[in-house]
Amino acid sequence: MRESASSLCFSILRHYLKNMQITLLNDPEFTLMLSEFAIAGIYLPPFFVYACVALPIFLGMRFLLARAGVFRWVWHPGLFEFALSLCLVSILVLYV
């Protein structure tokens, strides 16, 4: 019974990925590369813009975490802050 359930899951996944790939490649709106942002005639990479947007969110979260005393329970506060900023930028890249 397990083998049939796993083979069914794999066949559904394979079918979904096959249809998704065909749909994405046939879609004229779909692009594989991120485009640059032009601000005042200066081209900026999208990662820089995402990092600039994440900075005030990070500073606000850092202030709230410091006020709550979370940094006393963290082994390496600098590493924790870096990981938090990396998570914020990743969320912005994935969902914006």
Side-chain angles (χ1 to χ4, degrees):
M1 183 169 163
R2 281 184 167 242
E3 292 176 5
S4 63
S6 64
S7 64
L8 177 65
C9 289
F10 284 124
S11 65
I12 290 172
L13 182 64
R14 198 174 20 239
H15 177 72
Y16 174 73
L17 290 176
K18 181 181 173 186
N19 288 342
M20 183 177 71
Q21 182 180 11
I22 291 170
T23 303
L24 289 178
L25 292 177
N26 290 337
D27 188 9
E29 297 289 323
F30 180 73
T31 58
L32 294 175
M33 294 177 47
L34 296 173
S35 61
E36 297 89 10
F37 292 97
I39 299 176
I42 300 172
Y43 290 107
L44 299 172
F47 185 78
F48 178 74
V49 176
Y50 292 136
C52 289
V53 170
L55 183 64
I57 299 170
F58 167 72
L59 292 175
M61 289 182 72
R62 181 180 173 207
F63 175 75
L64 292 174
L65 291 172
R67 294 281 292 169
V70 173
F71 292 123
R72 289 183 296 177
W73 298 99
V74 176
W75 170 71
H76 197 290
L79 189 61
F80 180 77
E81 288 178 358
F82 175 72
L84 181 65
S85 65
L86 190 64
C87 289
L88 285 173
V89 171
S90 300
I91 288 170
L92 285 175
V93 167
L94 288 174
Y95 294 111
V96 174

